[in-house]
Amino acid sequence: MKFRKFAAGAVAVSALALVGTTVTAGTAVAAMKPDCSRGLTNVPAKETVKIRKSAKLNATAVGQINKGRKAFLCNDGKSFTGQKYTLCGKTSTQWLYVDPYNGNYKGYVPRACMKW
């Protein structure tokens, strides 16, 4: 009988810990949202690059910046750490948050692919 109570209590504590972790992780991600109220203008792309919803190569593409086209770098051009990639002649984990179309298609691009 004691064993069952202990097991049920352990499950309840584990579930509570899991919920707490989920809430904390969700809050941390929301706090890191890029700010496009300040940034750098007219930064050209080295190569044609896809704009992604998150800093991952397999994230949904929401647009693209063609080679030589210019974009607005949000957060004053500060980088975000994301998935490792080898693109545009470099290997890195640094991504930039861009707004190339004045409010449409905001997202992440590999930092190595922008002339910044």
Side-chain angles (χ1 to χ4, degrees), residues 15-114:
L16 183 58
L18 187 59
V19 170
T21 302
T22 304
V23 172
T24 303
T27 304
V29 171
M32 293 174 37
K33 185 171 178 157
D35 175 22
C36 287
S37 64
R38 294 179 34 183
L40 304 172
T41 58
N42 299 322
V43 179
K46 293 178 185 177
E47 301 289 333
T48 298
V49 63
K50 291 183 181 179
I51 304 165
R52 305 275 182 188
K53 277 189 167 187
S54 63
K56 297 178 183 178
L57 291 173
N58 61 348
T60 303
V62 294
Q64 79 177 27
I65 304 170
N66 293 327
K67 182 178 180 179
R69 293 296 227 180
K70 297 176 181 175
F72 179 81
L73 301 184
C74 299
N75 272 8
D76 291 332
K78 292 179 184 166
S79 298
F80 294 89
T81 302
Q83 182 182 21
K84 186 176 182 178
Y85 59 84
T86 302
L87 295 169
C88 303
K90 293 186 180 180
T91 298
S92 179
T93 60
Q94 298 301 302
W95 294 72
L96 297 168
Y97 194 76
V98 299
D99 181 6
Y101 305 111
N102 299 321
N104 297 323
Y105 309 113
K106 290 180 188 175
Y108 294 87
V109 295
R111 181 183 172 124
C113 295
M114 300 298 291

